[in-house]
Structures are given as C-alpha cells and as structure tokens.
Amino acid sequence: QVPLEESGGGSVQSGGSLTLSCATSEYAYNNYCMGWYRQVPPLAPEGVAVIDSRGRVRYADTVKGRFTLTQDVGKYTRYLQMNTLKPEDSAIYYCATDYRPTVECLPEGILSFAYRGQGTQVTVSS
C-alpha cells in the first residue's frame, strides 16, 4: 500500500486560488507517476495533472495555464496550485499514484492508478 495524505481544498469565489497538497512515501515520490484527478459524481472523472519520476509535468487542456504542479523533495510532497478558478473546476479532487514509465505518465492515465487519497472538495462559486 502506498500512503497518500491529502490536504487543502475548500471554497473560493470565481477567480480565486487554492492549493492542494499530497504527501507520499519516499519510494513512491522518487519512482512513481503521481498527480490529481477530479470528479463530480455521477459524471466521469477527469485527469488534471501528473508528474513523472523525472519531474516532467503534464496538464489537462482544461487547466493548462491556470494550475501548476510543484513539489517539495524534502517532504515527499506535491502541490497543485490552482489559480483563476472557475465554477466548472468545482469537484472532489483526488491525489493518485502508481508506477508508470515516464512516457505513459499522462493525465488521462491517472484514472487507472492503483493508489489514491481520500479526496478533498473544491467548490468555486460564481
């Protein structure tokens, strides 16, 4: 089992910012593909952003230019900085991780990852 400890989220007005964090084990941090996906039940989940073991980040087109995935190596923690939030960004956000070759570390691929956090609610009001 790979630990994933999420924090952050909350409510904000349109145009505001929020930051999510996700802490994991040293091994997963250094070797796995990791990122976030979001879901508004009962709709299908959507991959948001991922980072591979080499530090390359990929974003879904819907968040590109607004969201930034960063990391703190010493804390084995990744962060999703979400700026210029829109009401359509409202969802439950899940941190997830699994082993994937770097070329297969893609936002759409995160939906099949074996390990995920408990999820955190993000609500953006208009």
Side-chain angles (χ1 to χ4, degrees), residues 13-113:
Q13 290 191 326
S14 181
S17 299
L18 287 172
T19 300
L20 308 180
S21 66
C22 184
T24 189
S25 68
E26 178 180 2
Y27 184 84
Y29 183 93
N30 290 323
N31 295 283
Y32 284 15
C33 176
M34 181 175 173
W36 277 266
Y37 70 94
R38 63 189 182 185
Q39 186 173 22
V40 182
L43 303 178
E46 176 192 15
V48 174
V50 293
I51 183 168
D52 67 26
S53 59
R54 297 182 182 178
R56 180 174 176 177
V57 182
R58 298 174 175 88
Y59 299 95
D61 288 342
T62 51
V63 305
K64 201 172 294 183
R66 300 188 298 120
F67 290 13
T68 304
L69 197 160
T70 61
Q71 56 186 357
D72 186 331
V73 176
K75 296 181 179 180
Y76 308 124
T77 299
R78 266 93 185 218
Y79 304 91
L80 186 67
Q81 174 68 43
M82 304 182 293
N83 297 326
T84 320
L85 282 162
K86 306 174 182 179
E88 51 264 43
D89 293 318
S90 298
I92 301 172
Y93 283 71
Y94 295 91
C95 174
T97 191
D98 205 346
Y99 174 76
R100 290 290 186 276
T102 56
V103 295
E104 296 179 18
C105 185
L106 302 170
E108 55 268 33
I110 195 173
L111 305 181
S112 66
F113 285 9

